[in-house]
Structure formats: structure tokens, C-alpha cells
Amino acid sequence: MAMSEPGCVRRVAIVGGGPAGLMAAQAAHDAGVAVDVFEAKGSVGRKFLVAGKGGLNLTHSEPRGAFDARYGARRVAVADWLDAFDPQAVRHWARGLGIETYVGSSGRVFPLDRKAAPLLRGWVRRLRDAGVQFHVHHRWLGWDAQSRLRFDTPDGERSVECDAVILALGGGSWPQLGSDGAWVDVLRKRGVDIADLQPSNCGFDIGWSEHFARRHAGAPLKPMIAHWHNSQGEHALQGECVVTASGLEGSLIYALSAMLRDTIATEGHADLQLDLAPGRTLLRLQQDLARPRAGRSLSEHLRRQAGIDGAKTGLLYEILGRTCGDDMPALARSIKRLPLALKRPRPLVEAISTAGGVRLEATDSNLMLQPQPGKLPAGVFCAGEMLDWEAPTGGYLLTACFASGLRAGNAAARWLTSQAQADQPAA
């Protein structure tokens, strides 16, 4: 990347107009750097807007220790980003854009109107008014021989000079919104260490019968408790999920997706046991089901005596068979621990988010990639979901994207300052 002449304003190019890219743009501009944002689509923040359709979950209110633990193997690194932009900082930042927030019953934090569009409009307007330049319909292709950024545009290929670049290109889910993972091959050819992209916060295939899928796909299963076992012992989590044509998805499954995906990768399948009646003990359930059926069908008996109906009843028949009512004590045990074998995660393009990406070990603590002469120029930073970390839904994804963008934007500005000082002639 060509450097500016001494005394000129340094420029940073942000490639990707999602939450991480916009936060990097804000941080770099606030640090006195000229900023250009390049976005492949016709407008910025498209995935942000779609994710907020059901209510924009900005962050979560749980204590930092529990919050940090949501990032699993990367919790130490992500916690370092969050020290500069934690959940309270997210709420303060939103308030600065005129968006008040509230804590929902689940602990999740939402704008008062639960909408993403007003926040995004206010944010982009503030950046534009401050002088940040936006360039849409610019699809990044890599670098040319002079280390200039290459973009595919409606007017043909364009090369752009800048002094530093922050890549905030997203993962590989929701490609129709711009996060298609095409950058993986570009960076790998430049010697960057990248973990394969994998689905996260995704559904899983089980393999229903045609009858069950046709009758119950789209039906909710709530409330439920999932039980599973791993090397750390027995675990349980209550939540909700939804029957799909091939398996299950929904918040309960998303919360377990990293564990389920990794278990399938090593063992070929992952086993869950579902408690379909979490409000009843096994003893009470056995007593309830032991009452006379008085000629009623098993489905009606389950509805009256155990509160089991709809897709839950269909699930029992699917797993246990239509004769499961012949042994009521065994049926009660199965209702409390119905075994399911998950075969595979749904494809990456269907996932809410992505695991894998640029390994944090390939960056320094400021999220700058190690320059490689002849391959990768100096001053290249990464932010957001394209980095190798993952988190469940609930505000954790968005908060870490914001925090990593802030880290990269501030670091790029400091790096440019150090380069400018190095370029000054000796007194």
C-alpha cells in the first residue's frame, strides 16, 4: 500500500460495512485518521438489519465473568477486546446515537423500539457528517502488484491506494448479504493462517420420516431441557427449539451448536436427551400416566395427563414408535430423557454465524497481520466475524464484533502515527 507524503493526512481503508467495519471506521476517524469504507453491496449493515428484524439484540446484561465465558476457547482474547468496549459501553454508545435500551426478561439488551434501522441510520449519518467516505458496490479482490487494494465495481476494476487497511469481511454465512467467505482464498494465497469456516448457531440434521417432517416441520418445541454428557460431566440447558424438515434448530440448539458440531466432527454423531416435560418430576409423570385411559387414545391421554401434545407427541411416536404406550413407566422415562442422535450441522450458508477464520495467532494483540514481503503488505488489520472466534446468540456476537472493530480501528490509527513519525526527517 502506497504511503502518503510526509505531512499529509493518513488514510485507512475499511473493507466491509458491517458492525465491525463501521466501529473500526468510527475509532480510526476519532483518532484523527481519514477513513474510506468499501462495501460490496449497495448499502452497509445489511446483515445487521436482517438480524434485527425480530428485535435487535445488542448485547447481554449478565456479569462480565459469565459474559466472557460465552466465547469458549477464545474467551481470554475476546475479554481483552471487551475491556475497552463491554456491554455497558455498548449501551452508552447507543444512547449517544439517541437510542435508549432496556434489559429483557432473558437478560438480553434491546433498543426500546427493538429496531435496527434507526440505530444504523443514525450511526451512518454521524460517520458521513464527520467526513467518513462510503463506497458501495466495491467488491474486494485483494492487492495488485503495487500493493494497492483491488475492487470489482460496476464500472470495472478499480485500484485504491491507502496507508493501512482494516478487513472486516464477515464470515461465510448469509452470503446473499455479503458474507460469502470469498476472502479466505485471497488471504491464504498471501500466507495468512486461516481455520476452515464452519457453521455456528445453526440447525442440525436428524433424519425424520417423511410423515413426521410433513406434519410437524416448523412447529415449536417448548419448553424443553437438553441433557448431554462430555468429558466435563453431565450438563443440562433449558430452552426452546423448532422442528425442521430434517432435524432441529432454534435458540436451545444454537446455544449448543459449537459442542454439537465438534462432537460430530470427532465421533460422527452427537447425542442429546430431551426432557419434554421439564415442569414435572419423573415420579409425578409416572403417576399421571398410570391413571386409567378410559378408552381415550394415547395422544389424548398424554395431552390430558402430561401436558404433552402436538409436535412433542409426534416426536415421541417418531423415536419410540406407535406402541410406546404399552409400557407407561418406560414412556414416562423417555419423556424425561428422549434420546436423539444428531447427524450433521446444516450448511454454512444457512447458519446465523461462522466459526473459524483468520486465526488470532496470525495477528498481534492489535489484530494486525504479520507482514510478509512479496505477499502481504504491512498495515493490514482484521476485525469482526472473519476472525477465528465464535459465540452463541444473545448479544455476544454483536458485542465482540463492535469491540474487535474498536480495537482494530484504534490500532490502525496508532500504527499510522508511528509510521508518520518514522518518515519524518531527523532534526
Side-chain angles (χ1 to χ4, degrees), residues 167-252:
L167 301 176
L169 292 157
S173 62
W174 297 17
Q176 68 275 22
L177 301 178
S179 299
D180 60 8
W183 54 267
V184 170
D185 288 341
V186 176
L187 293 184
R188 274 185 172 153
K189 289 175 181 176
R190 296 276 176 165
V192 178
D193 189 11
I194 297 172
D196 290 341
L197 299 183
Q198 301 183 77
S200 183
N201 292 296
C202 59
F204 288 81
D205 289 337
I206 295 173
W208 307 129
S209 67
E210 183 180 348
H211 171 79
F212 179 78
R214 185 176 63 253
R215 183 160 186 159
H216 296 292
L221 294 169
K222 61 180 182 180
M224 307 229 296
I225 296 177
H227 296 268
W228 71 98
H229 179 274
N230 61 19
S231 58
Q232 282 75 50
E234 294 282 347
H235 306 274
L237 183 67
Q238 182 163 333
E240 303 175 1
C241 58
V242 176
V243 176
T244 68
S246 61
L248 294 175
E249 64 180 16
S251 58
L252 178 59

Side-chain angles (χ1 to χ4, degrees), residues 152-169:
D152 180 25
T153 80
D155 298 321
E157 186 170 322
R158 177 188 176 192
S159 294
V160 174
E161 292 186 353
C162 60
D163 302 304
V165 60
I166 299 172
L167 301 176
L169 292 157

Side-chain angles (χ1 to χ4, degrees), residues 16-25 45-48 123 168 398 401-402 405-406:
L22 294 178
M23 189 60 75
R46 289 197 172 189
K47 187 175 180 181
F48 181 79
W123 194 9
L398 199 48
C401 282
F402 287 145
L406 185 75

Side-chain angles (χ1 to χ4, degrees), residues 35 100 152 159 170 245 273 323 355:
V35 177
E100 294 295 332
D152 180 25
S159 294
Q273 293 180 323
T323 61

Side-chain angles (χ1 to χ4, degrees), residues 5 114 276 421:
E5 293 298 323
R114 296 178 63 88
L276 304 183
Q421 292 171 347

Side-chain angles (χ1 to χ4, degrees), residues 388-403:
D388 181 20
W389 60 276
E390 65 179 312
T393 57
Y396 310 104
L397 288 163
L398 199 48
T399 302
C401 282
F402 287 145

Side-chain angles (χ1 to χ4, degrees), residues 98-400:
I99 306 297
E100 294 295 332
T101 58
Y102 74 96
V103 180
S105 59
S106 65
R108 299 184 181 198
V109 176
F110 301 90
L112 286 180
D113 63 3
R114 296 178 63 88
K115 296 179 180 178
L119 189 151
L120 181 62
R121 283 197 303 266
W123 194 9
V124 172
R125 186 185 308 115
R126 176 172 292 184
L127 291 172
R128 288 187 189 278
D129 291 347
V132 173
Q133 300 294 309
F134 287 84
H135 311 268
V136 296
H137 296 301
H138 276 62
R139 181 178 178 81
W140 184 65
L141 301 175
W143 291 270
D144 66 14
Q146 288 74 46
S147 294
R148 297 174 300 186
L149 296 173
R150 296 173 54 217
F151 293 97
D152 180 25
T153 80
D155 298 321
E157 186 170 322
R158 177 188 176 192
S159 294
V160 174
E161 292 186 353
C162 60
D163 302 304
V165 60
I166 299 172
L167 301 176
L169 292 157
S173 62
W174 297 17
Q176 68 275 22
L177 301 178
S179 299
D180 60 8
W183 54 267
V184 170
D185 288 341
V186 176
L187 293 184
R188 274 185 172 153
K189 289 175 181 176
R190 296 276 176 165
V192 178
D193 189 11
I194 297 172
D196 290 341
L197 299 183
Q198 301 183 77
S200 183
N201 292 296
C202 59
F204 288 81
D205 289 337
I206 295 173
W208 307 129
S209 67
E210 183 180 348
H211 171 79
F212 179 78
R214 185 176 63 253
R215 183 160 186 159
H216 296 292
L221 294 169
K222 61 180 182 180
M224 307 229 296
I225 296 177
H227 296 268
W228 71 98
H229 179 274
N230 61 19
S231 58
Q232 282 75 50
E234 294 282 347
H235 306 274
L237 183 67
Q238 182 163 333
E240 303 175 1
C241 58
V242 176
V243 176
T244 68
S246 61
L248 294 175
E249 64 180 16
S251 58
L252 178 59
I253 300 300
Y254 299 157
L256 305 177
S257 64
M259 179 274 296
L260 295 172
R261 182 196 65 230
D262 293 347
T263 299
I264 290 170
T266 57
E267 299 182 14
H269 66 93
D271 295 324
L272 282 182
Q273 293 180 323
L274 298 184
D275 182 350
L276 304 183
R280 304 181 189 223
T281 64
L282 175 59
L283 177 60
R284 180 190 165 187
L285 191 59
Q286 288 175 330
Q287 292 171 341
D288 291 340
L289 293 180
R291 294 187 177 122
R293 287 170 58 175
R296 289 186 289 267
S297 68
L298 177 59
S299 297
E300 181 63 13
H301 188 64
L302 287 169
R303 185 186 70 80
R304 285 175 176 248
Q305 303 301 333
I308 300 292
D309 60 4
K312 286 187 176 181
T313 302
L315 189 58
L316 288 171
Y317 292 152
E318 177 75 3
I319 302 301
L320 304 176
R322 286 277 174 176
T323 61
C324 59
D326 293 348
D327 186 341
M328 284 296 181
L331 177 58
R333 290 193 296 272
S334 294
I335 290 172
K336 295 298 290 182
R337 290 293 183 96
L338 186 68
L340 293 179
L342 282 61
K343 296 179 178 179
R344 68 190 71 84
R346 293 297 298 163
L348 179 60
V349 295
E350 297 180 15
I352 290 176
S353 60
T354 301
V358 175
R359 296 186 192 275
L360 298 186
E361 293 78 9
T363 71
D364 64 17
S365 61
N366 291 315
L367 301 180
M368 185 172 80
L369 292 170
Q370 180 65 37
Q372 300 188 38
K375 280 191 170 184
L376 190 71
V380 178
F381 299 78
C382 296
E385 201 178 329
M386 69 180 294
L387 291 165
D388 181 20
W389 60 276
E390 65 179 312
T393 57
Y396 310 104
L397 288 163
L398 199 48
T399 302

